[in-house]
Structures are given as C-alpha cells and as structure tokens.
Amino acid sequence: MSSPTRPAARAGSRASADRLARLLNLVPYLLARPGIEIAEAAGDLGVTERQLREDLELLWVCGLPGYGPGDLIDMAFDGDRVTITYDAGIDRPLRLTPDEALALVVALRMLAETPGVANREAVERALAKIEDAAGDLVAAPVEVRLPGDTGRVEQLRAAVEGGRALRITYYTATRDETTERIIDPLRVLMVGGRTYVEAWCRRAEAVRLFRADRIDAVTELAEPAVVPPQARPQDLRDGAFRPSPDLPLITLRIGRGERWITEYYPCERVESDGERWVVSLRVSDLGWARRFVLGLGPDVEVVAPAELAGQIHESAVAALEAYARPVPAGADPAAAGDRQ
C-alpha cells in the first residue's frame, strides 16, 4: 500500500520546492516592476493568476524575526496592479554566490560527518545535488573535519561502553581557562548539533557536560568508572544550557539586526522600545557575556548590570588605544598592525 503514495509524496515535495524558489524570486521581480498587472506577472512567471494571488497572500506573512508591523513583507494593490512597498531585505533573485555555495557545501559536509545524524543518505543526496548545481562556483574540493574529530568521539564512546574512567584536559569557554579533570563517563550524546560526553566530574563532584571539540587531550585510565548513586543524566530536551535564577541576568537594548538573539537564546524578557528591543537573558557568567556582547557589533547597548557595561567600556577603550599607537619610523605598518 505504501508504494503508490511515494510518487505523490515526491511530487508534493517538488511542488513545495518550486513554490519556495518562485517566492524568493517574486519579490525582486515585483520590485523591478512597480504597479505591474497581476495577469502580466503571472504570464511572465508561468503560473495562473490564482496561483500568483495565493503566492502574494503567503508573502504577506513572510519577513524578519519579530513578525510584526515593519517586519513583514508589505505590498499595495491598485485594482489588478501590485507594488512591493517593503521587501524585508529580499531584494535580489535566488542565486548562490561562490561564498554562499561554499558555505552551504561546508555545512552539509559537516552535517554528514557528524556522528549520530539520522538519515545521512538524505544529507548526502542534497549535497550531491547542490554540488552539481553549483558547478564552477565551488571549484576546489572541500574537506570538512569536525572539531573534536570522530576519533575523539569514538574514544569517548569506547570509554562509556567499557566502563572506564578518563583523564581529560578541558577548555572551559565561559571562564577562558584549561583544566585537567578525571571523569566517570555516563553517555555520549548530540545536543544542538554538537557532541558531548556527560560524566561525573570528580573535581566538581557533580554531573557535567563536556563538549568533545573542547577536550584537548584524553587518556583512558586503568581504573573503572565509579558513578555515585546520586548521579543522574540531565534532561537536555531544551538544550545544553539551562538558565536558572542563580545565574547572572543581563539586559541589552538591541537593533533590528540583532533580533536573532531572541530566537537563538532563551530570554526572560523581550520588550519593544521604539525601533529597538530590550531583552533580558541569563548567562553562565559575565566573562562569557563580555565576549558575547563585544562580538555583536555597535547596534547593542548594555542596560544592566553596570559591571558588564564597565567591562565592555574598558575593552573598547583598550582596543582603540592599541590601534592608536604610532608606528615606529622605518617599521612596516602591516607588520605593526599584525602585532596589535
């Protein structure tokens, strides 16, 4: 009974893909032809007037994160004529640049190499189609190796299956420090596209998650893993980071270009402040928050806490002072810039 449904499913998938491509090209097409008649546009695009009107209705609910007034694609109708009045940034046809094609190929290759990924064949088929369509855009072969390579992941899995303790050298990004620990592994798992080993950490005397790509060295010990009875695997359905009231709360005022924060990170508060948003979120510590905010760019203002605002100010002043240092006479300016 299942085989007759497969061609229909494939046809539905193709129809969805065709419609997506048409929608992505429809906005730049209409921008170049303000006030065009719907009948003429339908003829140019090779669809019926009814289909084009349905596409336009769908475009009306597409746009930028926030999905409110000023975020969604907008258009004006004058009888049977249509004009795009706000394009939400979709102002060019769907054509991959060399950089975009390469980024997509790298992302798919990384996904294909990730241990534990389901339906790997579908990923490889998509990769083959994109590489074939990209043609000369991706001229050189692309090789991808995951951080915390598969050999490291297999070593961690072997320790779990063999019930052995491990000595690891681990980089903790939130504190920007490297430590040596002895851990008793519980399981190896994927969370948010990254590989982790969950283990009892003898140093912290608690269950901890260790990212495989941040383990600089690992040695399997001769002694067996000893997991205390109170050690329990964590519930990671909502991700590896779990905000709690005891963690620092930071508040930022962000522009339109940084609204992605509200979708990528769990926020406790999101409020509109004119053209900007005020967001509050928990962080592991202020050291991580400082590096996070510095990487966001100029369209972000720290509202609270004052300590974080002070750290950002000090870092910005130090960076400006470094670039303001005069280059000694006879020195290579480029080399001096590299030293800074």
Side-chain angles (χ1 to χ4, degrees), residues 122-301:
V123 175
E124 292 174 347
R125 287 197 302 271
L127 179 60
K129 289 180 180 179
I130 292 171
E131 287 182 326
D132 181 62
D136 295 336
L137 291 180
V138 185
V142 178
E143 180 180 356
V144 173
R145 184 174 64 86
L146 289 177
D149 55 78
T150 53
R152 173 65 45 77
V153 173
E154 291 305 320
Q155 191 175 7
L156 296 172
R157 283 204 179 104
V160 172
E161 295 171 359
R164 292 292 182 179
L166 297 174
R167 177 182 286 109
I168 64 172
T169 302
Y170 188 72
Y171 171 70
T172 304
T174 55
R175 294 192 296 274
D176 194 24
E177 66 177 10
T178 300
T179 57
E180 187 172 283
R181 305 159 182 257
I182 294 179
I183 63 173
D184 301 297
L186 294 169
R187 57 177 176 166
V188 174
L189 67 162
M190 294 284 295
V191 181
R194 299 185 184 278
T195 305
Y196 293 81
V197 57
E198 187 175 29
W200 176 263
C201 176
R202 299 184 186 179
R203 183 171 182 259
E205 296 186 343
V207 174
R208 292 287 187 266
L209 276 178
F210 300 97
R211 266 177 53 173
D213 60 320
R214 291 180 179 168
I215 298 177
D216 294 330
V218 58
T219 303
E220 184 174 308
L221 303 180
E223 62 183 280
V226 180
V227 181
Q230 70 269 26
R232 293 287 185 273
Q234 304 174 57
D235 183 357
L236 302 172
R237 286 174 294 183
D238 295 328
F241 177 71
R242 294 183 297 171
S244 60
D246 59 316
L247 293 176
L249 180 70
I250 68 170
T251 301
L252 308 175
R253 183 176 286 107
I254 61 176
R256 181 186 295 274
E258 309 300 341
R259 291 182 182 179
W260 60 268
I261 293 173
T262 62
E263 297 187 349
Y264 194 82
Y265 295 98
C267 297
E268 294 193 2
R269 181 171 67 103
V270 178
E271 295 179 354
S272 177
D273 183 17
E275 290 295 318
R276 298 163 72 82
W277 285 4
V278 176
V279 300
S280 297
L281 63 155
R282 299 282 174 181
V283 296
S284 53
D285 62 39
L286 292 185
W288 180 91
R290 178 182 61 83
R291 295 191 295 274
F292 172 66
V293 174
L294 285 172
L296 291 177
D299 204 18
V300 176
E301 175 190 351

